[in-house]
Amino acid sequence: MTRFIKNVILFAIAVVLVPLSVANRHTVNLSLNPFDPQDPRLTIPEIPLFWVIFASLAVGIVVGGLGAWAKQGRWRKEARLKRREADMWHKEADQLREMTGASQPAANTKGLPGPDKRSAA
């Protein structure tokens, strides 16, 4: 089902992007110098406009993803600490199980039943 939904979404994106690419296929000069747009060192000549549009979208997605990743750093750090603490407690519980397993008396010996074997008789 998720594969179908993914394909539908990708098809919808393609339906939007293909006409956008066809409508904006004329070339432009991309100047990266805001003070001197005629500077040939910082100008990319004859680039299709849809490449500029798609590149700006891609850069926006990457910058947004990095920003979200950086903002969630506190939660990742807390998760790492909690994972280490849980591992420590699990290791200690395993050690205690091994110690109590070795010190348990045999089942056929006489004595009082343990706290988990309660009976009214």
Side-chain angles (χ1 to χ4, degrees):
M1 184 67 179
T2 56
R3 185 176 182 182
F4 174 74
I5 293 172
K6 184 174 107 176
N7 287 336
V8 168
I9 291 172
L10 289 175
F11 179 74
I13 291 172
V15 166
V16 172
L17 292 182
V18 169
L20 181 69
S21 300
V22 172
N24 294 301
R25 65 178 178 237
H26 59 279
T27 59
V28 294
N29 292 330
L30 181 65
S31 178
L32 301 174
N33 187 353
F35 302 112
D36 186 14
Q38 303 304 323
D39 185 11
R41 293 175 293 175
L42 294 174
T43 301
I44 303 171
E46 305 289 323
I47 185 169
L49 181 59
F50 70 90
W51 283 13
V52 175
I53 294 170
F54 293 160
S56 63
L57 285 172
V59 168
I61 289 170
V62 168
V63 169
L66 288 174
W69 180 78
K71 191 165 180 100
Q72 295 169 355
R74 177 178 65 176
W75 304 112
R76 286 192 307 276
K77 180 179 179 182
E78 185 176 340
R80 277 193 306 271
L81 292 174
K82 297 291 183 184
R83 191 177 313 119
R84 285 186 196 130
E85 185 179 349
D87 288 342
M88 179 190 70
W89 288 116
H90 283 292
K91 194 179 296 183
E92 184 176 337
D94 291 340
Q95 289 173 351
L96 288 173
R97 276 192 208 105
E98 288 175 6
M99 288 174 39
T100 57
S103 65
Q104 289 285 336
N108 57 3
T109 60
K110 293 185 179 183
L112 295 174
D116 60 333
K117 296 179 182 178
R118 296 180 185 190
S119 64

